[in-house]
Amino acid sequence: MNKYAQLRQNAYDANMQLPRLGLVLFTFGNVSVADRNLGVFAIKPSGIPYEELTPDKMVVVDFNGKTVEGTLRPSSDTLTHAVLYKEWPLIGGIVHTHSTYATAWAQSLRDIPIYGTTHADHLTCDIPCTPPMEDNMIEGNYEHETGYQIINCMKWKELDYEEVEMILVGNHGPFTWGKTPENAVYNSAILEELATTSCLTERIRPGVDRMKEALIRKHYERKHGPGSYYGQG
Amino acid sequence: MNKYAQLRQNAYDANMQLPRLGLVLFTFGNVSVADRNLGVFAIKPSGIPYEELTPDKMVVVDFNGKTVEGTLRPSSDTLTHAVLYKEWPLIGGIVHTHSTYATAWAQSLRDIPIYGTTHADHLTCDIPCTPPMEDNMIEGNYEHETGYQIINCMKWKELDYEEVEMILVGNHGPFTWGKTPENAVYNSAILEELATTSCLTERIRPGVDRMKEALIRKHYERKHGPGSYYGQG
Amino acid sequence: MNKYAQLRQNAYDANMQLPRLGLVLFTFGNVSVADRNLGVFAIKPSGIPYEELTPDKMVVVDFNGKTVEGTLRPSSDTLTHAVLYKEWPLIGGIVHTHSTYATAWAQSLRDIPIYGTTHADHLTCDIPCTPPMEDNMIEGNYEHETGYQIINCMKWKELDYEEVEMILVGNHGPFTWGKTPENAVYNSAILEELATTSCLTERIRPGVDRMKEALIRKHYERKHGPGSYYGQG
Amino acid sequence: MNKYAQLRQNAYDANMQLPRLGLVLFTFGNVSVADRNLGVFAIKPSGIPYEELTPDKMVVVDFNGKTVEGTLRPSSDTLTHAVLYKEWPLIGGIVHTHSTYATAWAQSLRDIPIYGTTHADHLTCDIPCTPPMEDNMIEGNYEHETGYQIINCMKWKELDYEEVEMILVGNHGPFTWGKTPENAVYNSAILEELATTSCLTERIRPGVDRMKEALIRKHYERKHGPGSYYGQG
């Protein structure tokens, strides 16, 4: 059996979750899955509708974005994925979608404020939105620069990629990641839900305050870290 | 047959209504069902996806929240349920969800105003939202305190738990209850609908007034109390 | 065969369209179907979930709202239907729902303004919303008075029930009717769509103007009246 | 085999995509498909529900809108399609819907601003909305004039129909087109998504700016033109 067969199957399975979760329209969006031992990741081919995908059509590329196996052209966002895998050694999957509410926040160039415990169950800060890129970055190696825009925004805001697993690329849309591809896909669905609820919260009460620190910490620690007691441990 | 078998089955059935009614995403939300004779309730295990639930996985706990039967860890909100069952002897089921519009109201820390007869068919006042808890309550026995926050908010507002079967926990989300688990689940769906319609009503007419008292009373009494004539009696 | 069998079947079929069109939650909403020769109409029984309905459960009542056949209690709104059938000899079906956007407009006590051709394809004026009823009407024969509130609102606004087949009862929700029950159900779905689109239009452009008279007339006459050329005529 | 059989089949297939994509309610909306060699197009008959359509019911008309084959009356918008086919030799399909958000923008008489890369992936300018027609145009050959209103609006704004394949007819709703009927249907779904996201973007950040020129150009050129690298080329 081809040594990438399982990886391609995993990438296929993860990609097929996106339409099931209502996160993509037509060919938009893509998931990649990394194999750290083999030093590669498998990613959706560019512009192929989800209903025509098969595990065989997944493209295997290295962390410089060079195709290692596969006859199709990989997702046009492949270099963004490659940069993130190279910079962040502990992530196993990356997801990009154009899900409706998260994209609207990205287009408004606003971080998503933390208003409730659903948010605090997953992260303790606002969901970051990168500023627009400089023109020379856009006109240069655009997808590569998108990866650095994400990494730099996390640095500017002093965020840890193991704790904050989601970001909005300004004017574009959401990227999420995780230790596993399942986590990364889960984070995309959570982000869309948080984007929806925060938008509605501001409509119901314009000028609403962020939730209090103690409640943020409590909910995050209930699910994460040494004293957590959510789930089956 | 195990003496808790029927109770676990009932808890399973009630929990499975939540995804069917579109009230939960992933593992969020939980339903419990009480057996007053046996002095216990059965509740969803923590962090298990709905599609993996079985009646056997329900956890049976007493009204102090101590596990009586079951190998899985019960929902992290178990102590909140326990407090409510202990304080309110006539309820048979409790539901907690993060349904989208109800959660947005909870995050805005606003009661849901009574604007129409759909609301008055179910309760005669605004749907209460608890204030945020004090830091020492959050940092103490949090889920236990959440139960008391609900009970105290009902007292402050002079509400009867047999008439008002739903509340928003500020910054968190909705809790509903009822004489039976079916009633409690029904109330969660109604609350989400009322949260949606009230939000839209304020958007269509900012500053809109509450509906008039006579109409509130008429609709509530049509469905509840001695002279009611809705349903098959 | 029972002389009401076909009428009950028709009422059943029409009622079952409501959940299919996404216009009702639980037991809310009801459709009735009139037989003018027999001087009766069949209506949904009160408080029965749609999935438990059968043609046999439909209740046959006369135009004073008195049960003629059937063992179940008819819809609590039966007298409203009866009044409308009595006053308006050319209607064959009536529908009441609590569909989300139409209910929000009713709760805001606003007529739905005519902003586009989808609206003008069906009626040439704003969709009327009745004012709240006087307290003595609410405390008297409420459902009967609801019927008169509808009829009087149409008179005040000089609207013809054969041209304007939909209304919002203030603080309550929509009622629609039509020459046939199919028309009445169709009108409920159209009303919900117009309520949605008008709400969005005002959000996109606060203070937007109604559409121009010439375009209203053109679209209405394309579908209705002597020179109509929409459909297979 | 009838020389129009394939054309009718194609028109049927394209029309049936509209309900699947959630773009139409009841009989609203229509797709036509042109055969440039035969000098005709096939279009949906007027007022027939989608579930009753068959390829045989499609009506074949020439570019003056005269029926060439078919017993049913063609869509009431047929003359609008005819004008566009005549004026724009390189389009192979046209779609008209009343999809909710796009219609709301049309009713607000506003162009849809370009706020994000999903928009720039498809066109580099705001989505145009025609002004209302003059009364004499409405009262004259209305559907014919609607076609010219579209063509003239494109001219006033100096837009190329091969680059901008969608427009809003003021107070009415969206029209889209494309080299193939599949493209035209795809554009209707994209337009509805852009209309939704732009509406939400303005709600999240009132007064938000259009995205920067460099990013618009980059995304458009990634998918279109000589250096494009999206899809399988």
Side-chain angles (χ1 to χ4, degrees), chain B:
Chain B
M1 188 169 113
N2 178 292
K3 69 176 169 177
Y4 301 126
Q6 186 61 51
L7 184 66
R8 278 192 274 97
Q9 181 69 47
N10 293 348
Y12 169 78
D13 291 344
N15 271 287
M16 294 309 286
Q17 287 301 315
L18 298 191
R20 257 170 236 143
L21 288 162
L23 298 173
V24 291
L25 180 66
F26 295 121
T27 64
F28 305 171
N30 44 71
V31 185
S32 68
V33 179
D35 185 318
R36 293 289 174 176
N37 293 324
L38 296 172
V40 298
F41 63 96
I43 192 165
K44 183 167 167 291
S46 184
I48 306 285
Y50 287 90
E51 56 271 29
E52 296 175 17
L53 284 187
T54 59
D56 279 353
K57 287 182 180 160
M58 298 296 123
V59 188
V60 180
V61 298
D62 66 22
F63 294 147
N64 294 313
K66 198 165 158 279
T67 296
V68 169
E69 189 191 74
T71 54
L72 295 171
R73 189 187 284 172
S75 163
S76 57
D77 296 310
T78 296
L79 279 177
T80 307
H81 291 239
V83 166
L84 298 182
Y85 282 124
K86 214 164 177 176
E87 182 81 10
W88 294 338
L90 299 176
I91 63 173
I94 297 171
V95 179
H96 171 49
T97 79
H98 288 219
S99 68
T100 305
Y101 277 83
T103 299
W105 282 91
Q107 294 187 168
S108 79
L109 295 172
R110 285 186 60 198
D111 298 351
I112 303 178
I114 182 164
Y115 290 132
T117 64
T118 324
H119 190 132
D121 284 338
H122 297 92
L123 70 171
T124 60
C125 61
D126 296 351
I127 298 166
C129 179
T130 76
M133 278 187 264
E134 297 301 317
D135 284 14
N136 64 323
M137 291 168 69
I138 294 169
E139 285 152 9
N141 192 345
Y142 173 64
E143 290 82 8
H144 200 258
E145 298 286 5
T146 300
Y148 281 109
Q149 189 75 356
I150 291 171
I151 288 164
N152 289 330
C153 181
M154 296 287 285
K155 281 185 188 156
W156 298 326
K157 291 175 182 272
E158 303 186 347
L159 302 176
D160 179 343
Y161 78 92
E162 289 189 83
E163 285 187 10
V164 177
E165 299 183 319
M166 52 185 72
I167 201 166
L168 305 172
V169 174
N171 292 124
H172 191 153
F175 280 81
T176 65
W177 51 88
K179 284 186 183 51
T180 66
E182 291 76 23
N183 290 154
V185 169
Y186 172 88
N187 285 332
S188 280
I190 293 298
L191 171 48
E192 180 63 9
E193 181 66 17
L194 297 177
T196 304
T197 320
S198 287
C199 175
L200 291 172
T201 301
E202 294 190 349
R203 208 174 315 154
I204 290 168
R205 185 172 193 150
V208 58
D209 288 323
R210 275 170 184 66
M211 66 193 293
K212 50 165 45 185
E213 251 336 288
L215 191 54
I216 294 174
R217 264 201 322 279
K218 175 67 192 177
H219 265 264
Y220 189 73
E221 285 163 12
R222 215 163 74 136
K223 277 197 141 175
H224 306 267
S228 71
Y229 52 93
Y230 180 90
Q232 300 302 325

Side-chain angles (χ1 to χ4, degrees), chain A residues 116-182:
Chain A
T117 63
T118 324
H119 190 133
D121 284 337
H122 297 92
L123 70 170
T124 61
C125 61
D126 296 352
I127 298 165
C129 179
T130 76
M133 279 187 264
E134 297 300 317
D135 284 14
N136 65 323
M137 291 168 70
I138 294 169
E139 285 152 9
N141 192 345
Y142 173 64
E143 290 81 9
H144 200 258
E145 298 285 4
T146 300
Y148 281 111
Q149 188 76 354
I150 291 171
I151 288 163
N152 288 331
C153 180
M154 295 288 283
K155 280 185 189 156
W156 297 326
K157 291 174 183 271
E158 302 186 348
L159 302 176
D160 178 344
Y161 78 93
E162 290 189 83
E163 285 186 10
V164 177
E165 299 183 320
M166 52 185 72
I167 201 166
L168 305 172
V169 174
N171 291 124
H172 191 154
F175 280 81
T176 65
W177 51 87
K179 284 186 182 51
T180 66
E182 291 77 21

Side-chain angles (χ1 to χ4, degrees), chain C residues 13 16 18 30 43 70 135 147 150 173 177 185 195 198 208 214 229 233:
Chain C
D13 291 345
M16 294 309 286
L18 298 191
N30 44 71
I43 192 165
D135 284 14
I150 291 171
W177 52 87
V185 169
S198 287
V208 59
Y229 53 93

